[in-house]
Amino acid sequence: MISGSIVALVTPMNADGGVDWAALERLLELHIEAGTGAIGAVGTTGESATLSVPEHCEVIKFCVDSVAGRIPIMAGTGANATREAIELTRAAADAGADCCLLVTPYYNRPTQRGLYAHFRAVADAVDVPQILYNVPGRTAVDMDNEVVAELATHRNIVGIKDATGDRERGRDLIARCGDEIAVYSGDDPTAMDLMLAGGKGNISVTANVAPRQMAQLCALATAGDREGASAINELLTPLNSALFLEANPIPVKWAMAQQGLIGEGIRLPLIVLDEQYHADVRAALEAAGV
């Protein structure tokens, strides 16, 4: 089972929007050295919405080959069309990804039964471990915990990323199906509480800029060390907020550029962080010691 800090990795880009493969390789090495538990490739933070299908698959294959089994690769393969989600999931499995992360279908707003049918179809079609991903703030669809519990009985569904930020709801998820699947946080501000309640880790935006600190926080929280985890969480709290001053991944890519980790490349319709937020993000980085 994957546990701990799972970085929701950015996809570094050149000024023209092309993937910066050299920077991507450096980021992978940085996370391995920093103690990150797994790489989350081509999710929301990785700009999956603006990568073409061939690029999407190429980034996943690059991550698998570069990491070479040293830590797991969690490949983002969700789509709002079930056939496309199956295609991406199959490609990730063929590339050697350890598991796939599937977001709820965005924009078309399926019913709860439609969500069940969608995820069941992907799980039936591709024999690879799959993690559900509920992020209603981005998708305009919210999957009920009851549906998650039904899906948890499928042998290929092994986890859920809960990015609702609702602590009570997260605890209910763990109570309902925490013995069958892993429950991961997808919300940095509330991740510590979910892990202390039995969550297995955090699929984290903040880990991009503070990988060591997030790895330590997750290790302490999943071990039940509230005092130790809280001390690190307090340092990261301003950063968790600053990285969402504009839509993710705008702030985190700008912050990483300030750290010298990547260039400022980002794809339209997203653009570089507005200057009015620069001081706030810099201050949060300094407060976190990064």
Side-chain angles (χ1 to χ4, degrees):
M1 181 185 292
I2 293 173
S3 63
S5 175
I6 302 120
V7 62
L9 192 68
V10 303
T11 300
M13 295 174 180
N14 299 309
D16 63 1
V19 177
D20 185 344
W21 300 104
L24 179 55
E25 185 167 21
R26 289 195 298 271
L27 292 180
L28 294 169
E29 294 301 323
L30 179 152
H31 281 285
I32 291 169
E33 195 274 333
T36 297
I39 301 294
V42 205
T44 304
T45 312
E47 293 177 79
S48 57
T50 51
L51 292 181
S52 68
V53 169
E55 286 177 318
H56 195 126
C57 298
E58 191 175 2
V59 171
I60 292 169
K61 183 69 162 60
F62 184 91
C63 291
V64 170
D65 291 346
S66 295
V67 167
R70 288 175 288 173
I71 58 175
I73 301 295
M74 181 184 293
T77 60
N80 66 336
T82 304
R83 289 183 180 182
E84 183 178 338
I86 290 172
E87 177 186 354
L88 290 170
T89 303
R90 186 171 288 127
D94 290 345
D98 296 278
C99 61
C100 293
L101 180 69
L102 290 121
V103 70
T104 50
Y106 41 87
Y107 185 76
N108 41 18
R109 300 179 69 182
T111 65
Q112 295 301 311
R113 303 320 303 160
L115 288 170
Y116 176 85
H118 168 82
F119 286 115
R120 182 66 190 246
V122 182
D124 286 344
V126 189
D127 190 18
V128 67
Q130 296 169 32
I131 296 168
L132 313 174
Y133 176 16
N134 191 32
V135 56
R138 296 290 297 230
T139 62
V141 62
D142 190 359
M143 183 162 55
D144 292 344
N145 284 4
E146 292 84 355
V147 175
V148 177
E150 288 183 65
L151 289 166
T153 62
H154 197 291
R155 65 186 181 87
N156 283 334
I157 295 175
V158 301
I160 179 168
K161 174 183 177 180
D162 175 37
T164 65
D166 186 327
R167 292 173 173 85
E168 288 302 319
R169 187 167 176 178
R171 283 191 279 268
D172 179 65
L173 261 180
I174 293 168
R176 286 177 184 270
C177 51
D179 291 335
E180 294 184 89
I181 63 173
V183 178
Y184 301 100
S185 175
D187 179 66
D188 284 309
T190 60
M192 181 190 73
D193 291 335
L194 187 69
M195 289 184 283
L196 287 168
K200 301 304 182 185
N202 181 28
I203 302 174
S204 170
V205 176
T206 299
N208 281 284
V209 294
R212 292 183 189 280
Q213 291 90 333
M214 185 55 71
Q216 292 165 355
L217 168 60
C218 291
L220 292 166
T222 54
D225 185 344
R226 178 177 294 274
E227 183 177 356
S230 295
I232 299 173
N233 194 57
E234 185 175 350
L235 292 175
L236 295 181
T237 292
L239 195 54
N240 293 337
S241 298
L243 295 181
F244 287 87
L245 287 170
E246 289 190 324
N248 179 46
I250 292 172
V252 72
K253 291 194 90 171
W254 185 85
M256 293 173 74
Q258 302 313 297
Q259 292 177 300
L261 298 174
I262 61 173
E264 290 192 353
I266 193 165
R267 282 197 185 174
L268 288 170
L270 301 184
I271 58 174
V272 175
L273 183 71
D274 193 289
E275 189 174 354
Q276 67 176 309
Y277 299 120
H278 289 187
D280 291 334
V281 175
R282 283 200 187 99
L285 289 168
E286 292 171 3
V290 294

